[in-house]
Amino acid sequence: MIEHNFKKKFGQNFISDKNLLNAICTDAGLSEADQVLEIGAGGGSLTGAISSHVKRVVSYEIDKDLQSHLLSLGLKNVEFVFGDIMNYSLSEVENAFEGSYKMVANLPYYITTPIIFKFIKSKKLDSLTIMVQKEVAQRMVAGVGSKDYGILSVMVSFYGNAQIKRIVPRNLFYPQPNVDSAIVNIKIDRTKFFSINDEEFYKFVGYAFSMRRKTLRNNLSHNGISKENLAKLDEKVLSKRAEEFDILQLIEIYSKIIGSKDKFLL
Ligand code: SAH
């Protein structure tokens, strides 16, 4: 383990277990021609493992204290960017890649969902293989009827297909976090709902799920959807809760409201 003053505020929980590092690479299905984006290089253990399987890695790290250590590793096919990933636009990050790329990362927990929402809409990203808090992983893969089903589940299945690859116990991290983790693989599939405006659908889903225990009618009208638009839906539908509908049903409801127009909310 490197000598380092671990910073909780950056979500620093490093891994050094060789089997786990290899397992992440296997779960990501890496091959020689791949280009990979890593977020959070940390001590560079995962960066090194990934780099031995692929053509090129671009790895972001916010903590400048790790800079000299990471550069001293001499990883030939890795470019480090020292900065906050959230301060770069999607296209700024993606300009570094010619063609498609994969994300592989042991994500800092405090910004897992913002990172997912930032990258999942990418048109160049093939897949995300990410270590996240177990509960977040369960929300990503949850289907209708599960208590974990919500906005994250709906939007992940809007953009692709998610699978939990393995559960990772907390004792494999240093410092040890107080939750277990899971490796999730999301394969992006842009053909799925290509005709739906994703930003607008995301807004709709946000409205529909805004208060979990309330009916669709309540949540949608509360968020400014007009009476005329609500009248396009059956009473039976309006009196249910968003969590009772799967993605296809939610798309159908959304499509009914917008009619032939693509924008309906603003
Ligand atoms: N990949 C390493 C470290 C994972 S811990 C390993 O698996 O051992 C998460 C890492 O993300 C930390 O090194 C932390 O400093 C970094 N990080 C946190 N927030 C970040 C941000 N906004 N942008 C880039 N890196 C970030």
Side-chain angles (χ1 to χ4, degrees), residues 58-157:
V58 178
S59 182
Y60 282 72
E61 176 51 59
I62 196 171
D63 187 354
K64 300 223 166 43
D65 289 355
L66 293 161
Q67 183 161 352
S68 59
H69 167 76
L70 286 170
L71 296 175
S72 78
L73 296 175
L75 298 167
K76 298 256 168 348
N77 54 348
V78 178
E79 291 140 59
F80 290 105
V81 181
F82 295 96
D84 181 342
I85 188 70
M86 298 313 280
N87 286 344
Y88 296 82
S89 69
L90 187 57
S91 58
E92 274 174 316
V93 177
E94 298 197 324
N95 281 342
F97 299 105
E98 216 172 286
S100 64
Y101 68 102
K102 293 176 173 168
M103 179 192 290
V104 183
N106 171 16
L107 288 180
Y109 292 167
Y110 74 104
I111 44 166
T112 303
T113 5
I115 289 176
I116 293 169
F117 278 112
K118 182 180 181 122
F119 284 93
I120 203 170
K121 54 165 123 28
S122 158
K123 298 201 162 55
K124 281 174 86 172
L125 187 55
D126 277 340
S127 62
L128 300 85
T129 305
I130 47 182
M131 179 87 75
V132 300
Q133 207 174 306
K134 190 172 89 182
E135 287 69 25
V136 176
Q138 285 162 337
R139 279 163 43 210
M140 283 188 219
V141 304
V144 174
S146 153
K147 67 168 174 34
D148 298 319
Y149 183 65
I151 299 175
L152 187 61
S153 339
V154 172
M155 292 316 292
V156 163
S157 58

